[in-house]
Amino acid sequence: MTRPKVLFVDDEEHLRIAASQSFELADMDVECVADAEAALDRLSETFEGVLVTDIRMPGMDGIALLEKVKALDPDLPVIMLTATSGIDTI
């Protein structure tokens, strides 16, 4: 059985480290990247996993990343995260 794959995107290093440790402890393959452009470089129509991304990041934000990912593969599962408390983020 193959392990689930996660591509985790966040500009904050301490969150990438914590997420990596958590996913690995849950027996998942995880790759962490610091920005949306790096995530797009790793995604293709054949990526078999889930994308977990922060919404607010410098450069391309998580919403723009979501739009590009859905154009690439509309069926790819994407989980959006934010540390802000306002509903107006979305």
Side-chain angles (χ1 to χ4, degrees):
M1 178 178 206
T2 61
R3 293 174 12 150
K5 296 179 185 176
V6 177
L7 179 57
F8 184 84
V9 188
D10 199 298
D11 58 307
E12 296 186 46
E13 183 179 21
H14 69 281
L15 293 176
R16 292 193 309 272
I17 292 169
S20 179
Q21 291 172 345
S22 295
F23 287 123
E24 288 171 359
L25 285 171
D27 200 30
M28 297 179 184
D29 286 331
V30 61
E31 181 175 5
C32 296
V33 295
D35 57 57
E37 290 83 5
L40 287 172
D41 288 342
R42 286 158 177 80
L43 292 172
S44 69
E45 296 169 345
T46 60
F47 178 78
E48 293 184 8
V50 60
L51 172 66
V52 180
T53 183
D54 190 10
I55 293 175
R56 292 190 178 193
M57 297 181 288
M60 184 188 312
D61 68 11
I63 301 298
L65 174 59
L66 175 64
E67 291 171 2
K68 289 186 181 275
V69 166
K70 288 304 175 182
L72 177 68
D73 181 356
D75 296 324
L76 181 72
V78 178
I79 298 171
M80 308 289 289
L81 305 173
T82 186
T84 60
S85 61
I87 192 76
D88 60 338
T89 301
I90 301 173

